[in-house]
Amino acid sequence: MKRYAVLVTIHIILITTFSITAYVLCEKQLWFSSLLAIVLLIATGIDLYLMQMKQTAMMHRLVDSIRFNDLTQTFQPPFRDRSMRELAEELSQVIKSFRSQLLDEEVKHQFYENLLNKVDTAVLVADRNGCVLWMNQAATTQLGQEPQLPAELLKVPIHEAQVIGVHRNGVLQEMAISSTLFVAQGKEQLLINLKNIHSVLERNEMEAWQKLIRVLTHEIMNSITPIISLSDTLTERSASQSMNENEYRIMLQAMQTIHRRSKGLLDFVENYRRLTRIPRPVCTYVNGNELLSDLQKLFMEADIRFQLPEEELTLYIDRAQIEQIVINLIKNAREACIRISHPEITVHLAKDAFGSIVLTVRDNGEGILPEVMDKIFVPFFTTKTTGSGIGLSLCKQLMNLHGGTITACSEKGKGSCFTLTFPHHA
């Protein structure tokens, strides 16, 4: 760069000298010498201009290579100058490094795009107006190449997962959707995660029906089989004209058995009707301390402890229905602790780590066998000899109607814990 600076300085000095010389010669009317000085002045100016244009041309090549993504360019120094040579080498190195970075970014882009296209979950990006900016292959399969999101998707609140119905080619599809808002290049955009769960819901529904049918079949067959057998016996005995006292007594016992089993079957059907006719909850705001305090008055035993929340908690519930759930859980806990020498049942209300209000009923009873844990909420399933099998199923349905959940965990010989989780309400 020093040589280039010296050349520019010499050109400036020559231009200045030739300008002064031409002026002085013109004043002395030495026209030929003046013309020669002017020619030398112009030649020096042109040479300086060409020097600058060579450097400018190199800069233009750099700009054009970046603008048109032509990153194969190399640069040669416009002058035989060490500094200029180093500058040209640095520009060539910058272009090479830039090309390498772009290649790495392209490889990452291809990797992530291929990865997103392989997953079965639809992922798409849209602006706040619902205009689709990008979608993976699964999203294209589910929604097609529509440039605009369906109106149903835009109604889902941001950062909240929901299951919605989307009409696609005249067919209603159940989809789980969640969206996240982010800012890219100064513009707000939505990252939407969409999964068609229609087949999953159908499979779960079929499994639930199969479990219910197995329980119904078992219960009905247990009642119908002895009724049919006794009916056949009575029919055979009634065919004979004479009947002694012993035969009459046997027939009376058979008739009583038929009546008892028929009544049991009628009660079973009535329980099924109760399970399918649950009234919708009428929710109001209820103070958590008051709820537990009133329940505590119903269970004054020393082995049943109610732990009131440290802070004031308010639930939006149908109080009568939730009280019925807790009463049912406490009764179940009592039965689980019958053979325990020092039974302990604890009812606790608090907030969990996510800010939801949870009510737990915990006991140190016999626990639930692992092989029946997935069946305890199935209607009519029971391990009790006198149980109807609708208690926990009724609790689950009531919690679903409240928009909450009921879960259970248990360890054989160490007790069980049932947890009611209530949704957030403003």
Side-chain angles (χ1 to χ4, degrees):
M1 190 66 82
K2 289 182 179 180
R3 183 179 174 185
Y4 173 73
V6 170
L7 288 174
V8 172
T9 303
I10 292 173
H11 279 73
I12 294 174
I13 293 173
L14 289 175
I15 290 173
T16 304
T17 303
F18 290 142
S19 298
I20 296 172
T21 302
Y23 175 76
V24 172
L25 292 173
C26 285
E27 286 292 326
K28 295 181 177 182
Q29 298 183 352
L30 298 173
W31 306 115
F32 179 78
S33 299
S34 300
L35 179 61
L36 181 61
I38 292 172
V39 170
L40 292 174
L41 174 63
I42 294 173
T44 305
I46 292 173
D47 190 54
L48 180 61
Y49 171 77
L50 292 176
M51 285 176 56
Q52 296 301 319
M53 289 305 297
K54 287 180 181 180
Q55 196 164 343
T56 303
M58 187 171 64
M59 295 298 107
H60 275 299
R61 286 184 59 199
L62 173 63
V63 173
D64 289 341
S65 63
I66 296 175
R67 177 185 299 167
F68 300 110
N69 204 22
D70 181 13
L71 303 179
T72 60
Q73 294 283 345
T74 57
F75 297 90
Q76 299 298 329
F79 312 106
R80 293 182 180 178
D81 181 77
R82 180 182 177 184
S83 299
M84 279 294 175
R85 186 170 62 253
E86 291 177 353
L87 176 61
E89 290 175 355
E90 287 178 1
L91 291 177
S92 299
Q93 190 63 37
V94 167
I95 289 294
K96 183 179 179 181
S97 177
F98 189 45
R99 180 172 66 245
S100 177
Q101 290 179 10
L102 283 181
L103 183 60
D104 290 343
E105 292 297 326
E106 182 65 23
V107 169
K108 289 181 182 179
H109 175 76
Q110 292 293 334
F111 172 77
Y112 289 120
E113 187 164 7
N114 289 332
L115 181 64
L116 289 172
N117 282 327
K118 292 298 181 183
V119 298
D120 60 352
T121 300
V123 180
L124 52 94
V125 178
D127 60 20
R128 295 301 297 269
N129 296 321
C131 181
V132 178
L133 304 176
W134 179 87
M135 61 171 58
N136 66 349
Q137 190 61 45
T140 304
T141 302
Q142 293 185 18
L143 302 177
Q145 295 286 356
E146 297 293 334
Q148 189 72 20
L149 285 178
E152 298 92 334
L153 302 185
L154 293 175
K155 295 178 182 178
V156 178
I158 299 173
H159 304 298
E160 183 176 327
Q162 286 190 4
V163 176
I164 63 172
V166 177
H167 290 275
R168 174 72 177 152
N169 297 327
V171 179
L172 180 63
Q173 298 180 349
E174 298 289 338
M175 293 188 177
I177 177 175
S178 61
S179 61
T180 302
L181 184 66
F182 68 98
V183 178
Q185 297 179 346
K187 297 180 180 178
E188 290 185 342
Q189 297 179 2
L190 292 173
L191 177 63
I192 299 174
N193 181 9
L194 195 64
K195 187 172 181 63
N196 189 347
I197 60 172
H198 187 72
S199 59
V200 178
L201 291 177
E202 284 186 338
R203 184 170 62 252
N204 291 341
E205 183 179 4
M206 182 62 66
E207 291 176 356
W209 275 112
Q210 288 173 350
K211 289 181 180 179
L212 178 59
I213 290 171
R214 283 198 296 269
V215 175
L216 289 173
T217 303
H218 176 76
E219 187 68 24
I220 292 174
M221 289 300 296
N222 283 347
S223 297
I224 292 295
T225 301
I227 290 176
I228 294 175
S229 176
L230 289 173
S231 298
D232 290 340
T233 302
L234 291 177
T235 301
E236 292 174 0
R237 291 184 177 277
S238 63
S240 60
Q241 298 296 328
S242 60
M243 183 181 299
N244 56 36
E245 183 178 350
N246 184 50
E247 290 176 337
Y248 177 79
R249 181 175 55 79
I250 294 174
M251 182 175 291
L252 181 61
Q253 290 177 351
M255 294 294 292
Q256 290 174 344
T257 302
I258 290 175
H259 177 268
R260 185 172 62 255
R261 295 303 301 169
S262 298
K263 186 176 183 301
L265 186 58
L266 183 63
D267 292 340
F268 174 78
V269 174
E270 184 61 31
N271 283 333
Y272 179 79
R273 291 179 61 188
R274 285 175 54 201
L275 199 60
T276 56
R277 294 182 179 180
I278 300 175
R280 295 201 62 84
V282 180
C283 296
T284 57
Y285 289 99
V286 177
N287 184 280
N289 284 343
E290 293 180 3
L291 176 67
L292 292 193
S293 296
D294 289 344
L295 286 169
Q296 190 173 14
K297 296 174 183 177
L298 300 176
F299 302 96
M300 304 299 292
E301 296 90 336
D303 54 356
I304 302 178
R305 296 185 297 113
F306 287 79
Q307 295 181 352
L308 301 181
E310 296 178 358
E311 58 179 316
E312 185 173 323
L313 301 178
T314 302
L315 300 90
Y316 189 68
I317 57 173
D318 185 315
R319 180 165 181 161
Q321 291 185 355
I322 299 302
E323 284 180 346
Q324 189 60 45
I325 293 175
V326 178
I327 290 171
N328 189 41
L329 294 177
I330 293 176
K331 287 182 176 179
N332 288 348
R334 271 176 165 176
E335 294 175 1
C337 295
I338 288 179
R339 299 182 183 88
I340 304 300
S341 57
H342 300 287
E344 291 183 6
I345 300 172
T346 305
V347 182
H348 183 227
L349 183 68
K351 273 190 177 182
D352 64 9
F354 302 100
S356 299
I357 298 178
V358 294
L359 191 153
T360 57
V361 179
R362 186 185 302 272
D363 65 71
N364 64 338
E366 297 177 346
I368 303 171
L369 293 173
E371 55 266 27
V372 302
M373 274 296 295
D374 63 333
K375 303 182 183 69
I376 58 175
F377 294 109
V378 176
F380 309 112
F381 176 83
T382 181
T383 55
K384 305 173 186 176
T385 55
T386 59
S388 64
I390 69 167
L392 288 178
S393 177
L394 192 64
C395 293
K396 188 175 184 65
Q397 288 203 46
L398 288 174
M399 286 303 296
N400 286 340
L401 290 174
H402 278 79
T405 60
I406 177 172
T407 56
C409 61
S410 180
E411 188 174 351
K412 184 63 178 174
K414 294 186 177 181
S416 306
C417 179
F418 286 82
T419 303
L420 311 179
T421 304
F422 298 91
H424 293 280
H425 283 283

